[in-house]
Amino acid sequence: MKYLLKTPYQCLVKSQTDSIELDINDTLECEEEQILYIYPLTSEQIPFCINLASKTDNDKFSFLKHNGQNIIYLEKPEKFDIYQKEDIIISGKHCHINISKNKVSFETDKQKINCLTDKSKISPKVFKQKNFACVLFERDFFAYSMQNERLTHLHADFISLDKNTLTTTKKYSDSDLREKVCQYEIGDEITLKNQQIIKSQKKTFEEENLISYKFLESVRASDYQTSEQYLSDNLSSKIGQEQIKSFFGFLSDFLPLSTNEFIAISGAQKKYVTFDLQNGKICDISIDEL
């Protein structure tokens, strides 16, 4: 596919085969490219990349289409933050909320919490629910508890709220194209009531050198039922879903070092994980803190 890249500032653009320096308002024609690396020539911005396989707008670039032309527009960094100010009162206590394009803050007499959000195409909803001061964006939900001064944050591809029930849908770009649908009840606490993992019906060939990788994909999506299928009979008799949860915690990401060696990331914790395989099944797992 052909793209026209437009820039309002000077930058260096690198592709798989070439690099070119663009001046203000220059246009670069790109075709058959997968990733573009952008190096702004100003101190206000840091380098970033554009994945043309996943055309998602953000605060650094936008995808536009006009008269059959596909345009990538590099967004100029804004000089000012303009905040929408809200004040929610719960049981006589004030929660001051400030919202800008990709930031939100919650401030009480005891503390102030600043948060980053995804750029939202819709205006956020600010409301009071039970003991919570809530802000609902397109892909982010924040709920500040005035009872225990604690912030809950949920991030997903789709979020909807019906009375006291919040439903989130998160898509995983993994080999099974998983979707995780969760339902939370907002009461005195925010409680997970139901979770469903939906997988692609397409059957994929299980190559032995991908077994460890697919096991970690399952754990990252909290699809522990599938993760157990990759274990040998002997290992599955010793550990179950609760042990897998305990070993990995909330696995947010993992980085392969080889087919059976990985760095597993859970919040601020990083672990070195190795797998031993026998007859196409995982027979042993070793985990070391880094």
Side-chain angles (χ1 to χ4, degrees):
M1 185 178 290
K2 182 187 292 185
Y3 294 92
L4 299 179
L5 187 145
K6 293 287 296 182
T7 175
Y9 53 81
Q10 290 181 308
C11 62
L12 177 68
V13 181
K14 286 190 175 183
S15 65
Q16 292 176 315
T17 57
D18 201 5
S19 64
I20 185 170
E21 188 172 318
L22 300 182
D23 205 345
I24 297 174
N25 296 322
D26 276 351
T27 301
L28 176 65
E29 187 174 298
C30 311
E31 192 169 9
E32 303 301 328
E33 297 289 349
Q34 294 182 348
I35 298 179
L36 297 174
Y37 299 91
I38 312 297
Y39 298 87
L41 302 182
T42 65
S43 59
E44 299 174 344
Q45 288 180 280
I46 62 174
F48 58 93
C49 68
I50 303 174
N51 183 358
L52 298 179
S54 177
K55 296 185 281 291
T56 304
D57 295 350
N58 58 36
D59 60 337
K60 292 186 170 53
F61 55 85
S62 299
F63 287 92
L64 311 173
K65 193 163 187 174
H66 182 68
N67 290 337
Q69 290 183 318
N70 296 293
I71 302 169
I72 306 170
Y73 178 73
L74 303 186
E75 300 283 356
K76 195 171 184 178
E78 296 183 357
K79 299 287 187 182
F80 304 98
D81 266 339
I82 300 176
Y83 286 88
Q84 168 191 343
K85 301 182 73 173
E86 302 281 351
D87 187 33
I88 288 182
I89 303 174
I90 299 176
S91 301
K93 299 179 182 178
H94 288 258
C95 182
H96 306 289
I97 301 173
N98 293 323
I99 305 169
S100 69
K101 184 184 296 184
N102 63 342
K103 298 176 185 175
V104 61
S105 69
F106 298 82
E107 184 175 6
T108 65
D109 292 338
K110 293 185 177 181
Q111 62 179 338
K112 180 177 182 179
I113 302 177
N114 295 317
C115 316
L116 294 177
T117 72
D118 281 352
K119 187 178 179 181
S120 182
K121 294 180 181 178
I122 61 173
S123 298
K125 297 179 181 178
V126 181
F127 55 95
K128 177 170 57 175
Q129 193 91 346
K130 301 290 184 178
N131 293 314
F132 294 93
C134 304
V135 182
L136 176 61
F137 292 87
E138 189 175 17
R139 299 180 63 189
D140 289 285
F141 174 73
F142 296 91
Y144 187 87
S145 172
M146 298 295 287
Q147 184 174 351
N148 56 26
E149 300 282 347
R150 190 174 64 195
L151 180 69
T152 297
H153 171 229
L154 298 172
H155 177 79
D157 293 283
F158 303 100
I159 302 177
S160 63
L161 180 66
D162 182 16
K163 296 181 180 178
N164 292 332
T165 301
L166 185 81
T167 303
T168 66
T169 302
K170 185 172 183 179
K171 294 186 175 183
Y172 292 87
S173 299
D174 58 21
S175 55
D176 286 324
L177 298 177
R178 288 179 180 83
E179 289 187 7
K180 181 163 67 174
V181 181
C182 298
Q183 286 190 323
Y184 298 87
E185 182 180 325
I186 304 177
D188 292 336
E189 300 287 342
I190 297 178
T191 308
L192 177 62
K193 289 297 184 182
N194 184 43
Q195 177 177 290
Q196 182 183 13
I197 303 291
I198 303 171
K199 296 196 296 183
S200 169
Q201 296 299 313
K202 182 180 178 181
K203 297 294 183 181
T204 56
F205 178 68
E206 299 286 8
E207 293 187 25
E208 185 167 338
N209 60 1
L210 293 178
I211 295 298
S212 301
Y213 188 92
K214 297 194 70 172
F215 171 85
L216 288 175
E217 281 187 334
S218 303
V219 175
R220 181 177 59 186
S222 303
D223 186 4
Y224 300 108
Q225 185 175 359
T226 297
S227 66
E228 284 187 299
Q229 297 175 10
Y230 295 108
L231 305 180
S232 67
D233 291 341
N234 183 49
L235 186 58
S236 62
S237 68
K238 297 177 180 177
I239 64 172
Q241 296 186 20
E242 292 303 319
Q243 285 79 9
I244 295 173
K245 291 180 188 179
S246 176
F247 291 161
F248 292 96
F250 178 73
L251 183 64
S252 57
D253 211 346
F254 61 91
L255 306 173
L257 301 175
S258 69
T259 55
N260 291 311
E261 295 176 285
F262 299 85
I263 295 176
I265 301 165
S266 177
Q269 288 187 322
K270 299 176 181 63
K271 300 177 181 179
Y272 176 74
V273 184
T274 58
F275 297 90
D276 291 331
L277 271 67
Q278 188 174 23
N279 298 323
K281 295 283 188 176
I282 298 170
C283 61
D284 192 27
I285 304 173
S286 298
I287 302 177
D288 294 318
E289 299 284 348
L290 291 176

